[in-house]
Amino acid sequence: MTRHHYDLILFDIGGVLIEVSGVERMLRWAPFLDTAEMMWHQWLTSPVVRAFESGRTSPQTFAHQMIDEFRLPVSADLFLEEFRRWPVGLFAGAQALLEQLSATHTLGVLSNTNHLHWELFETQMTFLDFFRYRFASHLTGHLKPDLQAYRQVAFAAGLEPARILFLDDNQANVDGARDAGLEAYRVYGVAKVRGRLAALGQL
């Protein structure tokens, strides 16, 4: 096996390190979204989501606009109550994987997120401590799969994009990373992350 070397291993959070529960609820609330793929396509391209996850709107504004856009049969308060609970927690084995990797690699996160979920990550979970670089879209103003989101990482870390390995559970985000020059792969959950890292000689 040929061992690759990367100066930075960059992770998405939801679906890669953390279990996310919101897709099932959104599909129940919005029957016109037939599949998870449809839901994520509309989510990633939604101007309402993009405004919120780039830090430009408040939670209440986001909730009301989401109800309008996705035709959700719920109140804004109920939507936000459910939305806050989307991050279920770390996948089994994620903490051990990060402990192992951080001993030999520089790690970072690149996440489309918002201050509600980020606050949860900072106050109720400890996994962010493993990452030297933390790029949260609501703080940076840049969203995947836009090229600038990946270019910002390379610039801030002082690295050539090709020296960065990126792991994400969404193909559009993987494609965006590859367009920006990163080496990127689609994975879901810790077992797939471990398998990909092992195949690349990182474990």
Side-chain angles (χ1 to χ4, degrees):
M1 178 179 62
T2 301
R3 179 179 175 85
H4 299 249
H5 177 74
Y6 305 99
D7 295 319
L8 174 63
I9 299 179
L10 190 65
F11 289 86
D12 178 34
I13 294 178
V16 176
L17 299 173
I18 286 181
E19 182 181 358
V20 178
S21 65
V23 174
E24 293 80 8
R25 181 55 58 93
M26 287 292 290
L27 291 177
R28 288 197 297 271
W29 281 346
F32 71 93
L33 298 173
D34 294 330
T35 64
E37 288 74 17
M38 287 182 62
M39 182 269 176
W40 280 121
H41 173 75
Q42 181 147 343
W43 185 273
L44 286 171
T45 57
S46 165
V48 172
V49 174
R50 290 179 65 84
F52 184 53
E53 292 193 336
S54 60
R56 292 183 283 116
T57 56
S58 69
Q60 280 293 329
T61 297
F62 168 64
H64 285 290
Q65 291 178 343
M66 281 294 292
I67 289 167
D68 290 341
E69 178 180 348
F70 285 80
R71 307 196 295 276
L72 305 180
V74 297
S75 67
D77 288 343
L78 177 58
F79 174 81
L80 286 177
E81 180 183 343
E82 292 288 337
F83 182 71
R84 286 187 176 93
R85 292 201 292 260
W86 278 27
V88 176
L90 285 173
F91 283 118
Q95 185 92 3
L97 173 64
L98 294 175
E99 288 176 359
Q100 180 182 356
L101 277 176
S102 63
T104 55
H105 295 77
T106 299
L107 307 182
V109 290
L110 175 63
S111 178
N112 287 0
T113 188
N114 56 83
H115 79 268
L116 296 178
H117 292 166
W118 195 255
E119 182 180 11
L120 178 68
F121 301 155
E122 289 185 316
T123 60
Q124 299 185 31
M125 304 182 188
T126 60
F127 72 98
L128 290 178
D129 294 341
F130 293 106
F131 299 101
R132 179 181 301 179
Y133 298 103
R134 305 171 188 178
F135 297 90
S137 62
H138 70 294
L139 299 176
T140 66
H142 299 299
L143 290 159
K144 300 174 296 184
D146 297 351
L147 290 178
Q148 187 56 36
Y150 311 99
R151 289 170 175 165
Q152 181 185 47
V153 173
F155 179 80
L159 299 174
E160 291 296 323
R163 308 298 297 172
I164 302 172
L165 172 65
F166 178 57
L167 302 175
D168 195 290
D169 67 319
N170 189 288
Q171 190 61 47
N173 294 337
V174 170
D175 292 342
R178 290 173 177 170
D179 289 343
L182 283 67
E183 185 165 349
Y185 298 93
R186 186 179 186 182
V187 294
Y188 180 85
V190 173
K192 295 294 186 183
V193 171
R194 277 195 171 275
R196 175 56 62 184
L197 291 172
L200 295 171
Q202 305 307 299
L203 292 174

